[in-house]
Every structure is written in C-alpha cells, then in structure tokens.
Amino acid sequence: MLQIGVLTLSDKGAQGQRADESGPVVRQMLTVLGQVAHMEMLPDELNAIVEKLKDWTDNAQLDLIVTTGGTGLTPRDVTPQATLQVVDYEVPGMAELMRSESLKKTPHAILSRAVVGVRQQTLIINLPGSPQAARENLSVLLPSLSHALAKLGGDPTDCA
C-alpha cells in the first residue's frame, strides 16, 4: 500500500487563525491511491518546509507528498523554492498540466509557481492552497498518479 503525506503550508493556519480546508480535501482524494500516513501544517518558512520534505522522503520513505499552499507570488509563498531545493529532478509535464487546466477556469492560473518533482523514489506535488483549486489541480493528475508511482517504485514493465 502506498504511503502518502499531505503538508499544508499556511502562516495563519499554523498560528491557529485559520482552519485547514485544503488538506482534508486532498487527503480524501488521495485515499484511492493509498494510506495518508502523515498530515501536517507548517508556516510558510523555507527551512522548515525543506526539512519536512527531507524527513518524509529520507526517513518516513513516503511514496507521495502533496503540499497545499505557498505557490503564489507573495514573498511568503516559498513552497516551490523549498521543493526545488530537495528534488533530484522535476516532472514538468504534471505542473504544466495543472496550470493548463486551471487556465480554462481562471486567468490567474498563470501566476501559479507550483512544481512537481522526485526525491529518491518520492513524488512531490505542489498544489494551491484554495480547497477548490487544490481539488481541481489534483483531479487532473489522479489518472496518471498510480502509473507514475509504480514506475518510481521500480515497475519494470513498458509504458506503451
């Protein structure tokens, strides 16, 4: 069974000033893939995010980490920078697909800096912090995630 982590990034949420709405939405959607073994909220602090992503990949050895929040343009939106610091390589097609599909709904989709990448055998996906946007973005990736995670896990069969 795949092991999954959901990490919400929100200054207000971490301070108890806002309830996490996107994390539970993402958690529910991911149950079709495996077990959400870790779910946490952190403030928008680059080093804390980097350390959590490393811990969940290197120590907990999660198969998939999905972040919510911190993908916009404000100075506190550092989730993409943190993700880029820890991944071995990017999976640009997934991030491009999320932006492309979101653009059909809002012109603001072009402001998303969400990235998708791999650290060791863990896929890390950045989603927006809005529950609706997180749901919409994750829904376009779900059809490919089982295959992607199987390949990362060592599945030797051809993709054709």
Side-chain angles (χ1 to χ4, degrees), residues 5-37:
V6 176
L7 182 61
T8 300
L9 293 314
S10 168
D11 287 333
K12 288 182 180 178
Q15 295 170 2
Q17 298 174 358
R18 176 185 296 157
D20 178 15
E21 295 179 20
S22 59
V25 166
V26 170
R27 178 186 198 141
Q28 188 277 324
M29 291 179 72
L30 292 172
T31 58
V32 300
L33 294 175
Q35 175 187 354
V36 177

Side-chain angles (χ1 to χ4, degrees), residues 94-113:
M94 291 180 138
E96 291 164 6
L97 177 62
M98 288 190 294
R99 276 186 283 279
S100 174
E101 288 299 311
S102 293
L103 194 54
K104 295 175 183 175
K105 295 174 174 54
T106 175
H108 299 298
I110 62 172
L111 303 177
S112 172
R113 298 181 309 109

Side-chain angles (χ1 to χ4, degrees), residues 71-87:
T71 61
L73 298 181
T74 74
R76 298 288 297 165
D77 290 332
V78 296
T79 305
Q81 292 96 306
T83 303
L84 289 171
Q85 281 189 29
V86 303
V87 297

Side-chain angles (χ1 to χ4, degrees), residues 48-67:
I49 300 167
V50 166
E51 290 309 311
K52 183 57 63 180
L53 293 174
K54 286 181 179 179
D55 179 48
W56 282 4
T57 55
D58 302 354
N59 299 321
Q61 298 181 342
L62 298 181
D63 301 292
L64 173 64
I65 299 171
V66 178
T67 69

Side-chain angles (χ1 to χ4, degrees), residues 2 4 29-34 63-64 94 121 123 125 138 140-155 157 159:
L2 294 174
I4 302 167
M29 291 179 72
L30 292 172
T31 58
V32 300
L33 294 175
D63 301 292
L64 173 64
M94 291 180 138
Q121 291 182 303
L123 184 64
I125 299 171
L138 184 55
V140 301
L141 298 182
L142 275 175
S144 300
L145 284 180
S146 290
H147 181 70
L149 295 168
K151 290 298 170 189
L152 281 174
D155 177 4
T157 59
C159 293

